[in-house]
Amino acid sequence: MTGLFVTFEGGDGAGKTTQAVLLDEWLTAAGRTVVRTREPGGTEVGVLIRDIVLHHRGHVAPRAEALLYAADRAHHVETVVRPALSRGDVVIQDRYLDSSVAYQGAGRVLASAEVRDISLWATGGLLPDLTVLLDLAPDLARQRLDADDKPFDRLEAEKSEFHSRVRDAFLGLAAAEPERFLVLDASEPAPEIAGLIRERITPLL
Ligand code: TYD
């Protein structure tokens, strides 16, 4: 059995966690060992980095921010993701390098290709076998986030124009690599989305 690396991407409020849990349950019931993890913050070091990038009040230089996400990713891939894949596990991960390209690139300060290259360097070139993009219009995502009681982090608090650029960036990435991406309408009911993900993953198992 070989390992499988599945990542979930999309804006905040798109339902990534719900789908990651459903996929985990389905694969576990089918007898696979699943490692469910996330970025930023999938390791002890990562939790510290996550605190800086999401909760630091005040300006963080865009290049520093991009490097912090890449540092989190480098440590996470080396200590969690690659070991799991070599054991033959399925890694289900909330966010990966496409988030860096979409979010850090959408700030308009950094070139997307540079952001991607930094992540590829950080991870030794590890790309997911499948990336599920849960696509949702930013106004719908905002309604979902407003319904939650959690206070907004730095990125959630960005203007809606920023979130539209993030969404467009994700869709552009998916269009450029259709063999890696599965793009789904996140406004559909969760069980339906889960079914489409299972269909796409079955031949990869
Ligand atoms: P996430 O863990 O999905 O947030 P939450 O737990 O609050 O639902 O992601 C945190 C934020 O980090 C999200 O707004 C996107 C951002 N992010 C980047 O900007 N670049 C990155 O490389 C990653 C992984 C996340």
Side-chain angles (χ1 to χ4, degrees), residues 8-13 16-17 38-41 50 53-55 65-66 68-70 72-73 93-105 115 119 145 148 150-158 162-163 166 170:
F8 281 89
E9 298 283 4
D12 301 289
K16 294 184 298 300
T17 309
R38 71 164 176 184
E39 289 181 8
R50 183 182 170 91
V53 287
L54 296 185
H55 304 298
E65 187 182 52
L68 284 166
Y69 282 112
D72 167 70
R73 184 160 299 134
Q93 183 166 318
D94 206 329
R95 298 194 183 281
Y96 190 52
L97 88 173
D98 302 297
S99 273
S100 277
V101 178
Y103 282 84
Q104 276 64 65
V115 176
S119 269
L145 291 175
D148 262 3
K150 284 197 301 177
F152 285 162
D153 63 39
R154 282 183 56 229
L155 282 148
E156 285 165 355
E158 289 275 357
F162 173 85
H163 292 288
V166 169
F170 274 130

Side-chain angles (χ1 to χ4, degrees), residues 4-171:
L4 190 73
F5 186 24
V6 181
T7 58
F8 281 89
E9 298 283 4
D12 301 289
K16 294 184 298 300
T17 309
T18 304
Q19 290 304 326
V21 170
L22 291 173
L23 184 61
D24 181 353
E25 287 170 359
W26 182 71
L27 288 166
T28 304
R32 294 296 300 248
T33 303
V34 174
V35 173
R36 200 149 62 75
T37 185
R38 71 164 176 184
E39 289 181 8
T43 61
E44 259 179 59
V45 169
V47 169
L48 299 172
I49 297 174
R50 183 182 170 91
D51 197 42
I52 302 173
V53 287
L54 296 185
H55 304 298
H56 174 73
R57 304 259 157 237
H59 179 69
V60 179
R63 283 169 194 270
E65 187 182 52
L67 287 167
L68 284 166
Y69 282 112
D72 167 70
R73 184 160 299 134
H75 187 67
H76 184 230
V77 164
E78 182 172 312
T79 63
V80 176
V81 180
R82 283 196 191 271
L85 294 174
S86 27
R87 289 193 303 266
D89 298 351
V90 180
V91 176
I92 300 177
Q93 183 166 318
D94 206 329
R95 298 194 183 281
Y96 190 52
L97 88 173
D98 302 297
S99 273
S100 277
V101 178
Y103 282 84
Q104 276 64 65
R108 286 212 181 109
V109 183
L110 306 176
S112 302
E114 287 176 5
V115 176
R116 181 182 163 91
D117 284 349
I118 288 167
S119 269
L120 286 175
W121 178 80
T123 62
L126 181 69
L127 283 173
D129 299 294
L130 174 67
T131 298
V132 180
L133 173 58
L134 296 174
D135 178 52
L136 190 64
D139 51 332
L140 282 178
R142 170 62 52 164
Q143 282 172 24
R144 288 188 183 179
L145 291 175
D146 285 344
D148 262 3
D149 279 344
K150 284 197 301 177
F152 285 162
D153 63 39
R154 282 183 56 229
L155 282 148
E156 285 165 355
E158 289 275 357
K159 290 193 288 295
S160 75
E161 184 207 340
F162 173 85
H163 292 288
S164 297
R165 285 205 300 275
V166 169
R167 182 196 193 190
D168 291 346
F170 274 130
L171 290 171

